[in-house]
Every structure is written in structure tokens, then in C-alpha cells.
């Protein structure tokens, strides 16, 4: 699948104009409620970024990928109908801007270059196995899902979930945190990026005429939408799960807390469905995920009950643990193998590529999330580490003054950074908490590269400096 390029000067100008739109600039709120059109891309100066050179796999968690991920999410979702649950009247001007001619014009100019920047690394990072025949595809797929912990039975069927199976590593990492509810909430927030608009990307592949596979995909879409019953719609029961543990249910209320890997992963599926040359990768990726989701959501449900007890409404997890057993079988037989039977060896490499891309994005996403909760769970330790490294930081300090009403936006650094408070007090948001980590005058926080965080003044005025940390192999 070819990734279209754009000229640097044209794309850079358009991106600066796109970021300058009022709805894409940060406001003072940490959590954005009642307005699905306000979605900041980055702090002042973000529009000056150059995206002409694609990010590498080593730069997957860099600031460029986060910014590109937010902009692409905005671009893709401007093709979806989004309305606030509380009514449109208070945000009608933002609605008109989000869907207006100027934003759509700029969106169409910046998207190809941002896609090239964000996804080109997959061409180099994903080795595609030499699978060419239907029989090889069957053997390859069943081996891959088995390696991922979702083995097939002797007939190639997706088996029922094992409720007694050991909980997966990431779920266990959440339950073992010092602050397990914060970690579990951050996990739910990553799911919310897609779950609150569930199957909207899939909907782009429902039109047209491409045979039996089209009807099979529609069956899955119908399940996701609760067969037209709003209370059974998967996004509805996901909201109920969020509400049961006290989390906000507005679309993108937690915009500031989507990790870089979550944005890239969800954008990948929107990219494949926006450009229909990606349909074979998409169908294979969906097949692979549907096969894994049954056990994955059983594990998630077990984790949520361990963390929140009886108050969590985990019906969403239970529903997926049940229905995705069937979706796994349907997609394997009627999408993956169906397309391979109909179109032959011409499309099999693309089907395999979709699975290999998804495997890599899942691996990178899991590592990103686990690193984030490990750091956010130990900010006292990170503050002590910052103090010990303070005298060894580079002489490249950037000073800033913060006030409580200033625009708030999370971000990541491309190097390890030392954040020092030189006056006042500052709250650090490393996950979507109501009780952020407080830094006082003289405190220094070590922020590892790629770790999402935001700063907000906790006093009438606070001054901070940020500089590059010099770390040795013995540092944490």
C-alpha cells in the first residue's frame, strides 16, 4: 500500500494553519467535557513541526508521533457524525468549525504527509513471511494466534475462553500497582479512544460490492451496533462500564491522556479504511484481533473486578468474551480465507501484512502502556531520582511561568528530561487522576523520554525549568 507524499513547504504551511484552528488549541481544562470538537494537538509552536521525514520505529514514542497522531485522529473523525450527549447548543460554533470548509480543506492537505510520517516505519519494521498459498495462510494464521495465547482446536476453530486461565501480564501489572485504580482507569481510557465510536472505521468498508465477505463484515458490524437497539450497542455498554467506576463518558473527555501508541494503533485502522487499497490488510487485522479479543476481554474483566470489586459493570468485557469467540470463527473462515479463496495469491501477502502490522502495533502499545503506568505509579521515586541527577543535567534549560488558568496540554519529550520547580507549586498529571503529583519549590522530577505528562500551576504562579538529563547505565 503506497503512502502518498506532499511537498514540504505546502504541507508545513497547511499544518501550521490546521493547528492554529481554535478548536485544536489547548484550553485551561485538564478533562474536556461536553465538547467532542475541542481536541488540542499541542502547545504553542506545534504547527512549526516538520513531518517531511518519516518517523522510524525508534521514534515511535517521540513527540512527533504524538502530535501527528492527534492531528490524524482529528482528520479521520471529521468524517464521523459526533454530537454531545448534552445537546449541541453550547458548542454549535465549534461544530460548525470542525465540519466547516476551511478545516476540511486543511485536513485533506495535511493528512497524506502525516500518514507517511506516522506509518512508513511499518515498511521497514515488519518482515512479511513468504506465505503465498491458501494452505500456507491457514497454517501461518493458526500458528500466530496460538503464539499469541489464543490457540485453535484441531478444526481451526476459535475455542471458548478459559475463565480459569492466568491473567495476562499487562492486566497483572495493573493489579500490582501501588495505585491500581488509576492504572485500570488509564487502561479503560485507552480503550475509550476506539470504543466510544466502536465500529466507525469498520463502517467505511461496508459500502460497495465485493461479494460474500461484505455480508460477513456487516454481520459483525450489526453485533457491534446491538442490532439497532441502543442499549445493546457496544459503545453504550462501554459507557456504562466507565460510569460504574466514576469515569467520564463524554467522547474524548480524556483527550489529554491518550498515549502515543493508542493514537497510532487506532489511526492505523482508520487509515486502512480511508484508503480502500488497505482493505485486505484491514480484513486480516480484524480477523487476528477478533480471535484474540475473546480471551483478552475475559482477562480485562477479571482485572477490573479485582481492582474495583462489585461496583464495576463489566458487561462490556463479558459480552466481548462471548461474542468474539464467534467473530473469530466468522472472520477467519469468511473474511481471511474467503478473500484468499476468491482473489488468490495476489492478495495473500497483503492479508499477512495486516496481521504482521497488528502484531507489531500491539507489542509497541503494550510496552508503552506498561512503561507509563510504571512511571506514573512511582512519581515519588522519579522525584528522588530527579534530585540525584539535578547537578548533572545539561546546560540547555528552558524556563516557563505557569498560572492556574493557562492552557493545559500533555506531551512527551524526545530525551530524558529534568523538570525543576524554581518557584511556587506544580501539579503533574501522568495519568488521568483527580489527585495529581504535587511538586514544590526545589523539587526536580525525572521524566523519561516518551512518557506522557502535563503540568498545571497549583499556586497563583509557578516557575519551572526543563533540561536534558544526563543518565548513566546505572540510573533507573
Amino acid at each position: 500500500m503506497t503512502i502518498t507524499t506532499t511537498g514540504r513547504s505546502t504541507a508545513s504551511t497547511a499544518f501550521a494553519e490546521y493547528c492554529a484552528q481554535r478548536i485544536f488549541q489547548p484550553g485551561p481544562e485538564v478533562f474536556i467535557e461536553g465538547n467532542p470538537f475541542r481536541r488540542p494537538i499541542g502547545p504553542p509552536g506545534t504547527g512549526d513541526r516538520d513531518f517531511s521525514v518519516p518517523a522510524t520505529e525508534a521514534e515511535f514514542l517521540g513527540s512527533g508521533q504524538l502530535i501527528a497522531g492527534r492531528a490524524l485522529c482529528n482528520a479521520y473523525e471529521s468524517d464521523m457524525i459526533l454530537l454531545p450527549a448534552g445537546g449541541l447548543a453550547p458548542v454549535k460554533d465549534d461544530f460548525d468549525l470542525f465540519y466547516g470548509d476551511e478545516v476540511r480543506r486543511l485536513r485533506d492537505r495535511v493528512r497524506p504527509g502525516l500518514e507517511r510520517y506516522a506509518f512508513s516505519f511499518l515498511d521497514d519494521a515488519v518482515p512479511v513471511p513468504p506465505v503465498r498459498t491458501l494452505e500456507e495462510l491457514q497454517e501461518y494464521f493458526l500458528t500466530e494466534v496460538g503464539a499469541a495465547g489464543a490457540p485453535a482446536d484441531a478444526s481451526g476453530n476459535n475455542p471458548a475462553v478459559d475463565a480459569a486461565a492466568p491473567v495476562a501480564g499487562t492486566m497483572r501489572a495493573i493489579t500490582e500497582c501501588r495505585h491500581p485504580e488509576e492504572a485500570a482507569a488509564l487502561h479503560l481510557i485507552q480503550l475509550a479512544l476506539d470504543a466510544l465510536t466502536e465500529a466507525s472505521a469498520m463502517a467505511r468498508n461496508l459500502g460497495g460490492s465485493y461479494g460474500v465477505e461484505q455480508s460477513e463484515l456487516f454481520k459483525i458490524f450489526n453485533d457491534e451496533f446491538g442490532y439497532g437497539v441502543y442499549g445493546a450497542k457496544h459503545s453504550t455498554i462501554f459507557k456504562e462500564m466507565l460510569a460504574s467506576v466514576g469515569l467520564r463518558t463524554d467522547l474524548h473527555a480524556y483527550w489529554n491522556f491518550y498515549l502515543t501508541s493508542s493514537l497510532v494503533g487506532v489511526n492505523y485502522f482508520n487509515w486502512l479504511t480511508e484508503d480502500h487499497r488497505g482493505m485486505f490488510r484491514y480484513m486480516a487485522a480484524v480477523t487476528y484481533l477478533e480471535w484474540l479479543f475473546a480471551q483478552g476481554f475475559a482477562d480485562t474483566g477479571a482485572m477490573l473486578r479485582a481492582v474495583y470489586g462489585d461496583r464495576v459493570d463489566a458487561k462490556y468485557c463479558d459480552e466481548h468474551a462471548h461474542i468474539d469467540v464467534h467473530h473469530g470463527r466468522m472472520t477467519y473462515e469468511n473474511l481471511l480465507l474467503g478473500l484468499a479463496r476468491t482473489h488468490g495469491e495476489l492478495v495473500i501477502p497483503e492479508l499477512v501484512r495486516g496481521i504482521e502490522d497488528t502484531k507489531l502495533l500491539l507489542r509497541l502499545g503494550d510496552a508503552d502502556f506498561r512503561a507509563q503506568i510504571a512511571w506514573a505509579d512511582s512519581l515519588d521515586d522519579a522525584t528522588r531520582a530527579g534530585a540525584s541527577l539535578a547537578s548533572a543535567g545539561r546546560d540547555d534549560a528552558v524556563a516557563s511561568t505557569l498560572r492556574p488558568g493557562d492552557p493545559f496540554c500533555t506531551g512527551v519529550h524526545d530525551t530524558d528530561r529534568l523538570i525543576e520547580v524554581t518557584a511556587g507549586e506544580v501539579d503533574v498529571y501522568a495519568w488521568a487522576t483527580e489527585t495529581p503529583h504535587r511538586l514544590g519549590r526545589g523539587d526536580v522530577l525525572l521524566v523519561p523520554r516518551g512518557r506522557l505528562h502535563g503540568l498545571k500551576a497549583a499556586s497563583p504562579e509557578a516557575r519551572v525549568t526543563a533540561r536534558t538529563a544526563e543518565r548513566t547505565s546505572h540510573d533507573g
Side-chain angles (χ1 to χ4, degrees), residues 178 375-390 417-421 426 428 437-448:
R178 300 172 189 172
W375 177 66
D377 197 43
S378 56
L379 292 183
D380 287 333
D381 295 339
T383 304
R384 286 189 287 271
S388 68
L389 294 169
R417 302 285 277 178
L418 296 172
I419 307 297
E420 181 175 0
V421 179
V426 171
V428 180
H437 181 71
R438 180 68 55 86
L439 296 177
R441 183 176 181 275
D443 286 337
V444 183
L445 178 70
L446 174 62
V447 181

Side-chain angles (χ1 to χ4, degrees), residues 92-385:
K92 179 61 163 56
D93 289 346
D94 290 349
F95 169 88
D96 290 338
L97 182 57
F98 186 67
Y99 292 118
D101 292 344
E102 178 67 3
V103 168
R104 287 190 293 114
R105 179 185 69 82
L106 293 170
R107 172 202 68 185
D108 293 342
R109 290 176 64 187
V110 304
R111 190 171 67 194
L114 293 176
E115 289 171 337
R116 175 175 175 266
Y117 176 87
F119 302 123
S120 289
F121 81 95
L122 294 170
D123 293 337
D124 299 322
V126 176
V128 180
V131 177
R132 294 292 180 270
T133 68
L134 181 66
E135 292 74 20
E136 290 173 345
L137 179 62
Q138 290 175 294
E139 181 181 1
Y140 159 80
F141 180 81
L142 297 178
T143 299
E144 289 300 329
V145 294
D153 63 23
S155 301
N157 288 320
N158 189 11
V161 301
D162 181 359
V167 176
T170 297
M171 301 299 104
R172 186 170 58 250
I174 292 171
T175 61
E176 292 175 354
C177 277
R178 300 172 189 172
H179 307 89
E181 291 196 9
E182 303 286 15
L186 189 65
H187 179 66
L188 290 175
I189 287 164
Q190 306 317 301
L191 297 179
L193 174 57
D194 175 68
L196 292 178
T197 57
E198 191 154 351
S200 292
M202 183 182 292
R204 295 193 186 100
N205 277 344
L206 295 179
S209 176
Y210 55 92
V212 173
E213 294 81 16
Q214 184 179 21
S215 295
E216 291 300 318
L217 188 67
F218 185 78
K219 292 176 186 176
I220 296 169
F221 178 84
N222 220 6
D223 284 341
E224 304 288 358
F225 269 66
Y227 286 80
V229 178
Y230 181 73
K233 188 171 181 275
H234 285 182
S235 61
T236 302
I237 59 177
F238 187 83
K239 287 182 182 180
E240 292 168 352
M241 181 166 64
L242 292 178
S244 72
V245 295
L247 292 174
R248 295 164 174 82
T249 60
D250 291 333
L251 179 65
H252 300 325
Y254 297 101
W255 175 264
N256 279 308
F257 298 96
Y258 296 141
L259 299 180
T260 305
S261 59
S262 300
L263 288 160
V264 176
V266 171
N267 285 340
Y268 173 77
F269 283 87
N270 280 301
W271 172 51
L272 295 184
T273 55
E274 279 282 355
D275 183 341
H276 290 311
R277 291 172 297 176
M279 70 162 292
F280 296 105
R281 287 196 206 182
Y282 173 83
M283 297 297 189
V286 165
T287 300
Y288 182 72
L289 288 177
E290 292 288 353
W291 202 284
L292 300 186
F293 277 166
Q295 187 65 56
F297 277 107
D299 292 343
T300 300
M303 177 274 292
L304 292 173
R305 290 181 172 101
V307 171
Y308 293 111
D310 293 340
R311 75 180 189 274
V312 66
D313 177 358
K315 179 182 176 183
Y316 179 87
C317 298
D318 299 340
E319 170 70 8
H320 280 75
H322 163 70
I323 197 67
D324 286 340
V325 172
H326 306 294
H327 287 174
R329 287 197 294 261
M330 291 165 61
T331 52
Y332 171 65
E333 181 62 33
N334 300 317
L335 289 184
L336 185 76
L337 299 186
L339 289 168
R341 290 189 190 100
T342 300
H343 302 285
E345 296 185 17
L346 180 69
V347 304
I348 289 175
E350 277 293 286
L351 295 170
V352 173
R353 178 61 186 272
I355 294 168
E356 292 294 323
D357 283 354
T358 304
K359 284 168 50 185
L360 176 61
L361 291 172
L362 287 175
R363 177 174 61 80
L364 294 174
D366 187 64
D368 184 20
F369 178 79
R370 293 179 72 163
Q372 184 71 24
I373 63 171
W375 177 66
D377 197 43
S378 56
L379 292 183
D380 287 333
D381 295 339
T383 304
R384 286 189 287 271

Side-chain angles (χ1 to χ4, degrees), residues 420-458:
E420 181 175 0
V421 179
T422 58
E425 293 183 315
V426 171
D427 282 338
V428 180
Y429 288 86
W431 45 25
T433 180
E434 303 291 345
T435 55
H437 181 71
R438 180 68 55 86
L439 296 177
R441 183 176 181 275
D443 286 337
V444 183
L445 178 70
L446 174 62
V447 181
R449 63 180 294 272
R451 290 304 104 228
L452 188 74
H453 67 287
L455 304 177
K456 196 166 185 65

Side-chain angles (χ1 to χ4, degrees), residues 15-67:
F15 185 70
E17 293 175 4
Y18 192 68
C19 292
Q21 299 299 310
R22 172 175 50 78
I23 52 177
F24 300 148
Q25 295 180 357
E29 54 280 293
V30 174
F31 308 108
I32 304 171
E33 297 184 271
N35 190 343
F37 317 112
R38 183 168 294 280
R39 33 178 83 202
I41 295 174
T46 295
D48 298 332
R49 293 287 302 234
D50 177 15
F51 292 100
S52 61
V53 178
T56 64
E57 183 180 356
E59 296 168 320
F60 180 72
L61 297 180
S63 58
Q65 276 285 28
L66 177 62
I67 292 166

